[in-house]
């Protein structure tokens, strides 16, 4: 029962509901998020097979030649498969988590946690469904690791922040 009380205090702690994030930190988070999004996109565009719908759309909107030129210029490196096929999803998940954390920093922990976990949880569920044959696609354990890696640091950060402010045992938790 003491464990449940501690968990309740952790989630419903009114003293820690809001995280302070300065404008400079929010700006840095936004730039980091955009850099991760761009990097994942470039890996995807340059190194993924040309049979994907993305390349058909690029041709239709008139940027197909630019994409082909980019692929010819930068695509000569043979990266490991996990970089080409898994890393972009991981970078996009991290990008999402960082920007949502920056945008929702003034919201209660439970609300931030809900929004931060949306994309990683969708990714985790889709990978597990691919593993079970319920969703078309290729299951990859590395994808699963990248999706988990996007949400675990936020949870650990929140937990360490609470311990730092309140210590291991607090009067607040004993009530």
């Amino acid at each position: 029962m003491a464990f449940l009380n501690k968990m309740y205090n952790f989630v419903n702690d009114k003293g820690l509901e809001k995280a302070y994030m300065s404008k400079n930190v929010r700006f840095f988070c936004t730039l980091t998020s955009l850099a991760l999004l761009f990097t994942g996109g470039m890996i995807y565009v340059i190194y993924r097979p040309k049979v994907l719908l993305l390349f058909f759309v690029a041709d239709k909107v008139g940027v197909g030649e630019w994409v082909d030129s980019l692929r010819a210029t930068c695509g000569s490196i043979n990266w490991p498969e996990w970089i080409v096929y898994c890393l972009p999803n991981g970078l996009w998940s991290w990008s999402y988590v960082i920007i949502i954390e920056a945008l929702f920093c003034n919201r209660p922990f439970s609300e931030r946690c809900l929004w931060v976990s949306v994309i990683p949880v969708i990714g985790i569920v889709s990978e597990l469904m691919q593993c079970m044959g319920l969703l078309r696609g290729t299951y990859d354990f590395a994808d699963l690791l990248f999706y988990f890696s996007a949400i675990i640091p936020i949870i650990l950060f929140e937990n360490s922040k609470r311990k730092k402010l309140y210590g291991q045992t607090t009067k607040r938790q004993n009530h």
Side-chain angles (χ1 to χ4, degrees), residues 4-23:
L4 292 177
N5 284 335
K6 285 183 181 181
M7 288 304 294
Y8 177 81
N9 288 338
F10 177 77
V11 172
N12 294 306
D13 187 357
K14 303 299 180 201
L16 268 181
E17 278 194 345
K18 296 181 180 180
Y20 174 74
M21 192 178 288
S22 72
K23 287 183 181 181

Side-chain angles (χ1 to χ4, degrees), residues 3-18 107-114 155 158-159 162 166 172-173:
F3 173 75
L4 292 177
N5 284 335
K6 285 183 181 181
M7 288 304 294
Y8 177 81
N9 288 338
F10 177 77
V11 172
N12 294 306
D13 187 357
K14 303 299 180 201
L16 268 181
E17 278 194 345
K18 296 181 180 180
R107 306 301 303 164
F109 170 71
S110 55
E111 188 175 331
R112 286 194 336 267
C113 193
L114 170 75
I155 294 167
E158 289 291 335
N159 193 27
R162 289 171 187 278
Y166 293 124
R172 187 177 196 99
Q173 290 175 341

Side-chain angles (χ1 to χ4, degrees), residues 39-53:
T39 303
M42 287 296 98
I43 293 170
Y44 199 87
V45 167
I46 294 169
Y47 295 103
R48 291 296 293 261
K50 196 135 188 238
V51 296
L52 298 171
L53 178 63

Side-chain angles (χ1 to χ4, degrees), residues 30 55 85 96 125:
T30 302
F55 298 105
Y85 292 99
Y96 171 81
V125 169

Side-chain angles (χ1 to χ4, degrees), residues 57-91:
V57 172
D59 286 337
K60 291 296 180 194
V61 297
V63 295
E65 287 182 23
W66 179 81
V67 169
D68 290 339
S69 174
L70 183 65
R71 289 170 64 89
T73 303
C74 304
S76 61
I77 299 172
N78 288 324
W79 295 103
E81 283 191 10
W82 69 269
I83 290 178
V84 174
Y85 292 99
C86 303
L87 186 60
N89 289 337
L91 294 174

